[in-house]
Amino acid sequence: MTSTIAILGVLTVAAAAAVLLKTQRPELGFSVTVLTCVLILSVLILRLTPLLETVETLFSELPLSWEYGSILLKGLGICLLTQTAADSCRDAGESALAGKAELTGKITLLALSVPLFKEVAALAAAMIGGEGVGG
Amino acid sequence: MDVELIFKVAAVGIIVAVLNLVLTRAGREEQAMLTTLAGLIVVLTIIVKEIANLFAVVKEVFGL
């Protein structure tokens, strides 16, 4: 709880500093924003680690391999990074670059989930083929 | 959490803004521009280090 309040306080102070700098030097105000985002995101991800371990333990009780869970976790990591980059670009007023950052994330996620698509396709093909051969 | 870094960047920004104002008033636009550039480079050096740190953390935690 203390850490949460500290994070919220730091964010408010950083917002004040960014607003102060934006009137004179917009690029340095943007730098303050990006630095704060990066620092807070690192802290939050480190706080998330024990929760992810709990999720992994819960997943191990299921009759599924951890491969699927790890793909989900990788997707979550890519989403966090992409969102941060895109938000920073949009803050700087570059929505075209933000769109490209989001596109990068989407393509990476698609490439990450190709093995799952392949598995589902193989399952569907086996079911159709099984029907055909059996019938 | 390195909160000092945020204040450091804000301080660099304020110093650069004041220097820029003074140099512009003194009629030295080129030096004012160079001060701005130097401030930006200093700040970017700090930020790039932290971004690399964030990427390392994400890679480790999410197993990328």
Side-chain angles (χ1 to χ4, degrees):
Chain A
M1 192 62 198
T2 327
S3 169
T4 308
I5 291 171
I7 288 175
L8 295 179
V10 166
L11 284 172
T12 315
V13 171
V19 168
L20 172 73
L21 283 177
K22 246 168 208 163
T23 54
Q24 291 288 325
R25 306 268 98 214
E27 70 273 15
L28 292 175
F30 167 70
S31 304
V32 170
T33 316
V34 172
L35 183 64
T36 313
C37 282
V38 166
L39 284 176
I40 298 292
L41 195 58
S42 316
V43 171
L44 287 181
I45 287 174
L46 287 180
R47 278 180 77 185
L48 195 64
T49 317
L51 292 178
L52 291 181
E53 275 163 16
T54 315
V55 169
E56 198 172 339
T57 320
L58 285 175
F59 214 91
S60 66
E61 316 250 322
L62 293 175
L64 280 172
S65 81
W66 174 240
E67 197 188 334
Y68 303 114
S70 85
I71 287 179
L72 279 179
L73 275 191
K74 282 178 188 173
L76 179 61
I78 289 169
C79 282
L80 283 175
L81 287 182
T82 312
Q83 186 74 42
T84 311
D87 282 345
S88 301
C89 289
R90 210 167 277 128
D91 256 10
E94 299 290 342
S95 48
L97 296 182
K100 294 302 161 290
E102 279 167 359
L103 189 63
T104 311
K106 281 175 194 167
I107 290 176
T108 316
L109 280 179
L110 202 59
L112 197 66
S113 50
V114 160
L116 293 182
F117 281 132
K118 267 186 188 164
E119 217 156 297
V120 172
L123 186 63
M127 286 167 84
I128 296 169
E131 284 278 324
V133 170
Chain B
M1 182 165 42
D2 296 328
V3 186
E4 300 93 32
L5 276 184
I6 299 173
F7 294 134
K8 226 183 256 181
V9 171
V12 169
I14 290 170
I15 291 170
V16 166
V18 170
L19 272 179
N20 201 33
L21 223 61
V22 169
L23 286 172
T24 315
R25 283 284 160 83
R28 303 189 177 191
E29 263 84 26
E30 301 88 4
Q31 288 181 17
M33 211 272 283
L34 283 178
T35 323
T36 310
L37 198 60
L40 190 62
I41 289 172
V42 168
V43 167
L44 281 183
T45 323
I46 297 173
I47 288 183
V48 164
K49 248 182 243 164
E50 287 309 310
I51 291 177
N53 188 24
L54 170 70
F55 284 171
V57 168
V58 170
K59 267 187 190 168
E60 192 197 319
V61 171
F62 295 102
L64 288 176

